[in-house]
Amino acid sequence: MTRLHLFDLDGTLLHGTSAPVEISRQLGLEAETVALDQAVSAGLIGPPEYAAQVYELWTGLTDAHVATAFEGAPWLARIREVWTEIRSRGEYCAVVSLSPSFFVERLTGWGAHAAHGSRFPAVPFTEPVDPAGVLNAAAKVLIADRLCADFGVTRADCVAYGDSLSDRDLFAAVPVSVAVNADRHLTGLASRSYVGKDLWDAYELVCGAR
C-alpha cells in the first residue's frame, strides 16, 4: 500500500510567515497583511474576506514580484529532499493551502505531485477574485478526497502536515498527522508534533508509521 502526504503551506512549509505576507513584502505592504493574517487566525474574518482584502492590496502586483517572493521566502530546509524520498517510495505528496493558487502551484516545480490553493486571477490582475474559489478548512478535506481518488488511496492512507486552525478538519479526517510549529488550534489533535526548521525531521516522525 502507498500513502498520500498532504502539506499545508503557510506556517508549515513556510516558517513563521505566509505566502500573502511574503508577496506583500515585495510591495511594501507587509504590515497590512500581517494584520490580516492575525485577523483570520483569530476568526475575526473568514477566508473570503481575507482574499478580497489582500486582492485590494495587490493592485500593482506583477509576476516578477511573485517570483521574488517565492524564491526569497523562509522555507523549511530539505523540502525537495523529502518529496524526492516520498516519490522514491512510490508514495505521493501534495500541497493544499488557502493561499493564492498562483503562488502555491509553483511547488509542483519542487516535486509535489499536486498543489492546490485559493483560485485567484492571473497576475497582473485584470478581473476580480471569485469568493467561490477561495478555500477554507472544509475545502481542504474535499480536495484531499479528490486527490485520494486520483492516486488510488483512501483517507486511511493519508498523512497531514499543518500548523493552525485551517488544518483542524483535515487532521480530524486522517489517521496520521504532524503538527509543524503549530499553534493552540491543533493542541491534542495531531498524532505527532515537530518544532523546528527542517521538514526532513518532521517527515521522519511518520515515515515508518501506518
Side-chain angles (χ1 to χ4, degrees):
M1 295 294 292
T2 188
R3 287 187 297 181
L4 169 59
H5 298 258
L6 298 158
F7 295 89
D8 173 55
L9 174 63
D10 302 320
T12 303
L13 297 178
L14 286 173
H15 185 264
T17 188
S18 69
V21 168
E22 296 307 306
I23 293 166
S24 292
R25 193 190 310 278
Q26 306 306 313
L27 301 171
L29 298 168
E30 176 185 359
E32 290 86 342
T33 310
V34 168
L36 289 175
D37 274 11
Q38 292 170 343
V40 76
S41 295
L44 300 177
I45 60 173
E49 293 81 11
Y50 179 95
Q53 291 187 52
V54 294
Y55 173 87
E56 291 300 324
L57 290 176
W58 295 342
T59 55
L61 190 64
T62 67
D63 193 62
H65 289 131
V66 178
T68 301
F70 185 89
E71 292 163 8
W75 299 100
L76 291 192
R78 295 199 283 181
I79 293 173
R80 279 169 279 197
E81 289 85 348
V82 168
W83 293 350
T84 296
E85 172 67 14
I86 288 171
R87 282 175 169 270
S88 75
R89 293 166 66 109
E91 299 179 354
Y92 301 97
C93 51
V95 182
V96 184
S97 170
L98 274 57
S99 276
S101 51
F102 59 75
F103 189 97
V104 180
E105 290 168 1
R106 290 172 177 262
L107 286 165
T108 59
W110 284 14
H113 287 93
H116 294 270
S118 293
R119 291 197 305 275
F120 269 65
V123 175
F125 299 143
T126 58
E127 56 187 277
V129 61
D130 182 359
V134 177
L135 303 186
N136 57 23
K140 284 192 170 187
V141 180
L142 295 177
I143 291 171
D145 285 341
R146 291 204 299 269
L147 291 170
C148 283
D150 290 343
F151 298 133
V153 299
T154 70
R155 289 187 185 182
D157 305 308
C158 290
V159 181
Y161 304 75
D163 76 303
S164 65
L165 181 62
S166 70
D167 303 302
R168 281 181 60 95
D169 289 9
L170 186 57
F171 273 39
V174 303
V176 181
S177 55
V178 185
V180 180
N181 299 314
D183 64 22
R184 60 182 176 80
H185 293 105
L186 297 185
T187 301
L189 288 180
S191 56
R192 307 286 191 279
S193 182
Y194 171 73
V195 176
K197 297 182 179 182
D198 192 325
L199 187 62
W200 189 277
D201 293 338
Y203 168 71
E204 280 195 325
L205 296 176
V206 296
C207 65
R210 292 296 297 176

